[in-house]
Amino acid sequence: MVGNRYISDIKNCKIVAVYEVRRYIEFCYIKDNIQKSLIIEQNCHFGPMYDGCWFEFGGVALPSELDREVKKLSKTFSDIESIQEINFYTKELDNGVYIDLEILYRTKDGRKNSYLLHPQPHEEEVHEIVVLKNKKSTFKLQKTQNVEMPKELYCTKNYKDALAFALKAHGEQKTPEGLPYAFHIVSVANEIINSLSMHPVSYDEANVAIACALLHDVNEDTHERVSSRNLKLENVNSIVHGVEALTKDTTLPSKQLQMQDSLKRLKKEPKCVQMVKLADRITNLAPAPLFWNKAKRKSYVEEAKQILKALKDSNSYLAKKLQDKIDNYQTDKILNNHGVPMEDNYLVFFAQEKQLILDKNHPKYLKTFKAINRLNEYVKKEYDLELFNRWDNRNTSVVKVTKERLGISYIVEVLNKKELLNLNKQIDDKIGKFMSTIYEGEDVIVL
């Protein structure tokens, strides 16, 4: 007996559009005020081990472009107003099976018609599936049963499996605030889940959106790769393509080009993937990391505006929430530990009472800060050596009265005492790379 939740769900619902691309047909329909999709994938295979044709079904909208072929409105199925029934007919072979798929439907003027998706034989082999109108199958009719779509908003097992994969991939990675990276990806997934009551989507598309939210940084930030081979989830191909679209192409020469390219690819994906980018930027538009400067904060909020403009139609609730975040985002000042806005023209690394001061308005500031901070963390972890015990922001008036200032020579002196820096012999490649970047940003240091 054949049972399929997608077929049961579409019965007697209004069809609003039908698309075709390659071997796929997408029926878009309205149920419970939600636009859903029924995807029919047509498959044929011939070989010594197996011959036959069959159909697979899904509930996630197809991308607007598939393998460089554009999804187009179907001319063949354009007269369907609603689908009454979908029947299966089978013909057993010695090493396989042929399946006919019959679609019983009503036309826009109320007439009852049918389409038969039928394997077209050619010299005893099937070369294609053809569509026949108002033709009956000569194969054996299979009994069918109704299978209801799950009532839950999403599948908790899928959530746990995607989260487990992401946690293993990200390992000990931290957020800019020093929290385990799980905090970020779970926050993005929570934004998706929170939106489901305000902007409902289908069960399958909710699962794809949540999985993409949990996995969206795996390809970009880890050595793992999201693929159908190592990820066992429903609608895995939609998830894999979604994560790929959410991943920036770092071979492009600038972050601006990387963002434009990512948005262009996301626009081709289903809305359930596009809205993950909105949720991601909502999460990231929390108060900026304290080491960011004005230029970084302003560029980040400008990026958010680009994202909103490109993807706002994917989810009205998340779009409004992102707009509110943009409107209230602090760019000129930061909030201190007491929640009071303050200017942050300088960032100071402390070594007891002495200070290494960085000009946050210098073009090379961010690169220099990251090199010093990562060097400090690295030598503390690997060699139990502390260059600086903390860092903090300072305004101009405080920096003006600072007397005991440090320069690069302090870092070199401390490393030399531990014999970790030798001009004639490279002791540690990582330390060498950090120091090279620090020397390039020597002008960032205020003496």
Side-chain angles (χ1 to χ4, degrees), residues 105-119:
Y105 68 96
R106 285 188 182 276
T107 64
K108 292 177 172 56
D109 57 7
R111 289 180 291 113
K112 292 182 179 181
N113 282 336
S114 69
Y115 285 114
L116 188 68
L117 278 61
H118 173 69

Side-chain angles (χ1 to χ4, degrees), residues 8 36 83 166 236 307 353-354 361 409 411 413 427 432:
S8 300
K36 298 184 176 184
I83 292 176
V236 66
I307 292 167
E353 299 301 320
K354 298 180 180 180
N361 296 314
S409 59
I411 299 174
E413 181 183 345
I427 306 299

Side-chain angles (χ1 to χ4, degrees), residues 318-331:
L318 291 175
K320 183 181 184 306
K321 192 167 185 178
L322 179 54
Q323 182 66 66
D324 291 341
K325 284 277 189 176
I326 291 169
D327 292 342
N328 293 290
Y329 193 69
Q330 288 275 359
T331 56

Side-chain angles (χ1 to χ4, degrees), residues 65 258 282 312 345:
E65 189 176 299
Q258 291 171 18
I282 288 168
K312 62 184 178 181
N345 292 317

Side-chain angles (χ1 to χ4, degrees), residues 76-249:
T76 304
F77 302 102
S78 61
D79 62 333
I80 296 180
E81 175 72 10
S82 64
I83 292 176
Q84 309 301 299
E85 192 66 70
I86 296 180
N87 295 318
F88 295 85
Y89 298 82
T90 60
K91 178 182 178 181
E92 299 292 335
L93 305 173
D94 291 338
N95 60 341
V97 63
Y98 288 167
I99 297 177
D100 275 350
L101 189 71
E102 182 184 45
I103 301 172
L104 304 177
Y105 68 96
R106 285 188 182 276
T107 64
K108 292 177 172 56
D109 57 7
R111 289 180 291 113
K112 292 182 179 181
N113 282 336
S114 69
Y115 285 114
L116 188 68
L117 278 61
H118 173 69
Q120 178 67 55
H122 179 70
E123 295 181 359
E124 299 183 357
E125 290 187 349
V126 178
H127 280 252
E128 62 179 337
I129 294 174
V130 297
V131 180
L132 306 174
K133 190 167 185 177
N134 294 327
K135 297 290 185 181
K136 294 301 293 183
S137 174
T138 58
F139 299 167
K140 182 180 179 181
L141 176 65
Q142 299 297 308
K143 291 182 179 180
T144 59
Q145 63 178 357
N146 283 330
V147 180
E148 286 192 1
M149 194 69 72
K151 301 297 184 185
E152 295 88 354
L153 290 175
Y154 63 96
C155 175
T156 55
K157 182 181 184 304
N158 272 23
Y159 181 103
K160 292 175 183 176
D161 289 348
L163 178 59
F165 185 94
L167 292 179
K168 289 178 183 177
H170 286 288
E172 296 182 6
Q173 186 181 346
K174 305 288 185 182
T175 68
E177 296 78 19
L179 296 169
Y181 207 73
F183 182 80
H184 171 66
I185 58 176
V186 169
S187 296
V188 178
N190 284 345
E191 289 291 347
I192 296 293
I193 294 168
N194 187 53
S195 75
L196 297 179
S197 62
M198 304 300 293
H199 185 108
V201 299
S202 72
Y203 177 78
D204 285 76
E205 294 191 339
N207 286 327
V208 167
I210 292 167
C212 286
L214 294 168
L215 299 165
H216 74 276
D217 278 334
V218 168
N219 290 0
E220 189 171 318
D221 294 338
T222 80
H223 298 298
E224 281 289 349
R225 192 83 186 173
V226 175
S227 74
S228 57
R229 293 187 302 276
N230 57 18
L231 195 65
K232 305 303 178 187
L233 296 175
E234 287 189 8
N235 301 299
V236 66
N237 288 333
S238 296
I239 295 167
V240 170
H241 292 152
V243 172
E244 287 174 353
L246 289 159
T247 301
K248 292 191 285 292
D249 182 356

